[in-house]
Amino acid sequence: MKALTFPLMAGFIVAGLAPAMAQDLSIGLKSEATSMDPQFHQLSTNIQVAKNIFEALTTQDAVQKVTPGLAESWEAVDDTTWRFKLRQGVKFHDGSDFTARDVIYSFCRVPLVQNSPSAFTIFTGGIADMQAEDDHTLTITTKDTNPLLPTELWSLAVVSANALGAEDTVTYGPEGSCEGMGDVPQSPAFNSPDVAVGTGPYKLDNYTRGSEMVVTRFDDYWGGAPDWDRVVMRPITSDGPRVAALLAGDVDMIESPPIQDIKRIEDAGFNVVDALSNRIIYLHMQQTEDAPGIGGTDGKNPLLDPRVREAISISVNRDAIAERIMGGYAQPAGELLPPPMFGTSGRAVDVYDPERAKELLAEAGYPDGFTITLGTPNDRYINDEQVAQAVAQMMARIGIDTRVDASTASQFFSRRNALEFPIYMAGWGASSGDMSSPLKSLVATYDADTGMGPTNAGRYSNPEMDKVLVEAMATIDDAKRDQMLQQAETMVLDDFGIIPLHYEQTVWAMKPDLTYEPRVDQYTMASEVKPAKAE
């Protein structure tokens, strides 16, 4: 009997340890990345995937505290000059050394990326010069004072100058005038692991659009080998199949499980974590003379009238949306960032008042309302199409007959950026955790040359607000900058230039032997998914 007991026990022990020893991780994503190029699209789905492969000079933890990345330290030499000490001993996935040349090349490439739906030039447009003092010392000179530069640099991925065919010497020049760039590869080339070469904890193995992205462990990673040998990220855009994949064991973790399924997931023994995010869901209105998709106004655009914009805002019952559609996993919003984040004022949520909304429409000359189309993605944000349908019904009650045009995220963003929607619903997560992020991206006057307003597809413009915002972004004193950002946001919201709806509460579900610290920025970072520690 003893001869039989040992093998049986050995088999039992191995089987029992198998989950802890597993070296593969599979994640079901709510949305699919639109490109492997980390400089193509400021979209959280793209960013969270790219962060596995590429790194930046700085990084941010789960609560958006800025910490060293590829730069181990930095200092402000004067109001417009920063010196960065780059980390030594860092290798790219192809074995080449990371140096200041790669950083200069990476920043030079940003304005050369073609057809970007939301360009990263918002972060590079203010850079006047970059000089490598040596391979691991870099000086960046900004056009104006920018106290947030180290924070913003987290968004600028460093790519390999060698892998992308740069010359031996790359010289920085603003607005795409760099020298030594060679033949710059465009975004489709990054589908190849030979081009998508970074310094991150994982290296690209393969990317199959519509199916999966696979990354593998980079054993020479400067921060220590990651926990997983292989990570598979699968876009499962439909809620039901995504939950089913988790429950069936086809994936180990999913993001954004449907709120109505959370109890079922917990009852099945899975781990569920959540946290309030900095993502604002908002309505933006096209404020140009020739806005499409509006009827019953004799060719006029009623959205140019702030009374109409206010009527739309107070027609929305945000509490009802948060409670009934979002199941409590949202917080009604009065600002573009949740207080007490930097630059917020504690402004109250616009009060639901449909009768006053009707009065405002009549005062603006539209007593019988008008017709309009509301654009929205149907697979990008939590319950996005349901929220849009609810908003449409609420607008209809005050006389604005609203048709919802829902499409997949990739289609929606392309159409939004082509200004096809007179009003649209979308979301924004502040990469800096600072009010300047939504202000300069969503409502600053659109200017391709300066990089301001890249996601202002409503073309709202308030020159006085622009002045305050630009001054705030060049103010070193934190207290003064905070006050000025509050002033700038108040100017926009008093004008109803954009309409905040709610802040998302983000949820992740995973197998019980995994842990994940919820991130304020909502990113699902494979490198931060950890095996659960034994009790």
Side-chain angles (χ1 to χ4, degrees), residues 32-33 207-213 233-237:
E32 182 177 18
Y207 168 61
T208 305
R209 187 69 187 267
S211 177
E212 65 182 20
M213 186 191 85
M233 284 164 274
R234 295 172 49 198
I236 310 176
T237 57

Side-chain angles (χ1 to χ4, degrees), residues 189-332:
F190 279 76
N191 293 347
S192 168
D194 293 334
V195 175
V197 175
T199 61
Y202 295 98
K203 52 188 179 181
L204 181 64
D205 182 86
N206 69 80
Y207 168 61
T208 305
R209 187 69 187 267
S211 177
E212 65 182 20
M213 186 191 85
V214 180
V215 295
T216 55
R217 182 196 308 232
F218 180 40
D219 290 324
D220 291 330
Y221 179 54
W222 64 266
D227 290 294
W228 313 105
D229 283 334
R230 182 173 180 266
V231 180
V232 179
M233 284 164 274
R234 295 172 49 198
I236 310 176
T237 57
S238 297
D239 290 341
R242 194 164 64 256
V243 172
L246 177 69
L247 296 177
D250 295 333
V251 296
D252 303 315
M253 175 183 184
I254 61 172
E255 58 182 11
S256 300
I259 293 161
Q260 63 270 21
D261 287 338
I262 290 176
K263 186 179 185 303
R264 178 163 69 105
I265 293 170
E266 290 178 324
D267 289 346
F270 290 87
N271 202 9
V272 175
V273 297
D274 68 272
L276 183 67
S277 75
N278 69 15
R279 181 172 301 283
I280 178 69
I281 302 299
Y282 63 88
L283 297 176
H284 217 330
M285 299 147 288
Q286 191 173 139
Q287 294 167 56
T288 59
E289 294 290 346
D290 56 350
I294 300 175
T297 62
D298 294 326
K300 297 179 181 178
N301 179 5
L303 301 176
L304 289 170
D305 193 318
R307 292 170 295 185
V308 173
R309 302 195 296 265
E310 180 180 0
I312 292 173
S313 182
I314 64 176
S315 76
V316 178
N317 188 337
R318 293 166 175 79
D319 288 330
I321 289 175
E323 293 170 10
R324 298 171 194 170
I325 297 177
M326 301 298 289
Y329 285 88
Q331 179 177 309

Side-chain angles (χ1 to χ4, degrees), residues 508-529:
W508 292 264
M510 66 209 75
K511 290 182 177 180
D513 56 358
L514 299 177
T515 62
Y516 188 68
E517 182 179 0
R519 294 183 60 95
V520 172
D521 56 22
Q522 297 188 306
Y523 295 156
T524 302
M525 306 286 241
S527 59
E528 295 177 14
V529 181

Side-chain angles (χ1 to χ4, degrees), residues 428-446:
W428 184 263
S431 59
S432 64
D434 177 292
M435 183 60 72
S436 63
S437 172
L439 289 179
K440 69 183 179 182
S441 295
L442 303 180
V443 291
T445 300
Y446 175 77

Side-chain angles (χ1 to χ4, degrees), residues 37-44 46-48 50-51 54-60 64 66-67 106-107 110 118-124 148-159 428-433 437 440-441 521 523:
D37 181 352
Q39 299 177 336
F40 175 65
H41 189 184
Q42 278 193 80
L43 182 67
S44 60
N46 287 30
I47 294 169
Q48 69 181 14
K51 288 290 183 183
F54 302 94
E55 297 180 292
L57 294 184
T58 61
T59 189
Q60 293 183 4
Q64 292 194 290
V66 179
T67 57
S106 299
F107 283 43
V110 167
S118 184
F120 286 84
T121 49
I122 193 171
F123 302 115
T124 61
L148 287 178
L149 182 66
T151 301
E152 293 179 345
L153 292 184
W154 132 269
S155 298
L156 290 169
V158 175
V159 297
W428 184 263
S431 59
S432 64
S437 172
K440 69 183 179 182
S441 295
D521 56 22
Y523 295 156

